[in-house]
Amino acid sequence: MIETDKIENTAFIKKSIGYLESRGFTNIKADVTDCEIPKSYIRKNTGDKVTPDIVAMKNGRKYFFEISLKSDKPKLLKSKWLFLDTLSRMNSNRFRIITTKGHFKFTDTMLEDINLTNKTPIKI
């Protein structure tokens, strides 16, 4: 999710954190005011910050989680997902997408557009 959408949807991020805790994830960092913020990456050409929505650990492996909700700027969201997918593959980490009812079609279309059809979204 992009920065402008995070302010509006902090409740869903907290709900996702609760879901991940119940699944056995530890050391959860989220881009919300109450939690520790995960490491940000800066795009060299534009200077924009890319911060994963949620980062967690399970069985010694790092997981990057992105919240997929309908957005006004899908191009920015696609580039963020591609970057996080590439980063997770380089370091043998995992990249997952979390979505909710009413946003499944948007998420599937986005994944198809950027050729990440091997990813199945976590439905909360």
Side-chain angles (χ1 to χ4, degrees), residues 13-118:
I13 294 175
K14 291 179 183 179
K15 183 179 178 181
S16 301
I17 292 170
Y19 174 82
L20 294 174
E21 286 174 342
S22 71
R23 298 286 187 236
F25 286 92
T26 58
N27 195 16
I28 298 175
K29 298 177 184 178
D31 197 10
V32 215
T33 55
D34 300 353
C35 298
E36 185 179 345
I37 298 174
K39 180 180 178 181
S40 295
Y41 303 92
I42 298 175
R43 293 183 186 178
K44 227 176 190 178
N45 56 352
T46 60
D48 294 338
K49 281 188 354 180
V50 176
T51 306
D53 292 336
I54 302 171
V55 176
M57 298 289 289
K58 185 175 183 180
N59 298 331
R61 182 162 281 163
K62 186 186 275 189
Y63 285 78
F64 294 102
F65 292 97
E66 267 299 307
I67 308 294
S68 174
L69 300 174
K70 293 177 185 173
S71 176
D72 297 335
K73 299 181 180 180
K75 188 175 180 182
L76 191 60
L77 194 57
K78 288 177 191 177
S79 65
K80 182 179 180 182
W81 288 3
L82 283 172
F83 170 74
L84 290 174
D85 183 55
T86 305
L87 182 69
S88 64
R89 285 188 200 186
M90 283 181 9
N91 298 328
S92 298
N93 298 326
R94 300 288 185 254
F95 174 64
R96 302 281 186 260
I97 295 174
I98 300 173
T99 189
T100 187
K101 185 177 181 179
H103 301 273
F104 297 146
K105 177 75 173 148
F106 173 78
T107 304
D108 286 339
T109 306
M110 293 279 288
L111 290 172
E112 225 174 86
D113 289 348
I114 57 176
N115 201 18
L116 286 179
T117 52
N118 61 340

